[in-house]
Amino acid sequence: MFSRKKQPPIKSLVAQGTRVNGDVLFADGIRIDGEVVGDVRAVPDLPSILVVSESAKVQGALHAVHVIINGTVEGPVHATELLELQPKARITGNVHYKALEMHQGGVISGQMCPTLPLLEDKPTLKLASNAS
């Protein structure tokens, strides 16, 4: 379903052994192998991918189009399209997503909140009259 679309390139890296204190704003893609204390946000209205690897820890909110988690996140996760939870994903916080792929072993301690299409996006329902 989403594999047909070309993913944006991962241009940024928070390497293992690195700790970032503060919010991170990125374009295209970012991979976190280290630790971030702060929110991680993609530039709004552009394709984006955010990867939290098995060795990573994030204390803050995540916001991107496509989010892949295999590490630890303490905070809400917002994936406007696809959220992928790998086997070692540990999330403490609410998750918001349009589509979810969750592997066995992934854990969410919070509410799962699927994004529903707005009512304006659906055609108006018209009932047929029963007049003879």
Side-chain angles (χ1 to χ4, degrees), residues 50-93:
L50 190 162
V51 179
V52 178
S53 75
E54 181 179 339
S55 61
K57 182 174 184 180
V58 177
Q59 295 175 338
L62 302 181
H63 295 264
V65 173
H66 183 177
V67 179
I68 302 170
I69 300 173
N70 199 26
T72 302
V73 176
E74 296 175 5
V77 176
H78 299 266
T80 56
E81 286 294 328
L82 178 61
L83 173 60
E84 291 182 51
L85 301 180
Q86 302 291 325
K88 298 195 177 186
R90 301 289 178 266
I91 300 173
T92 304

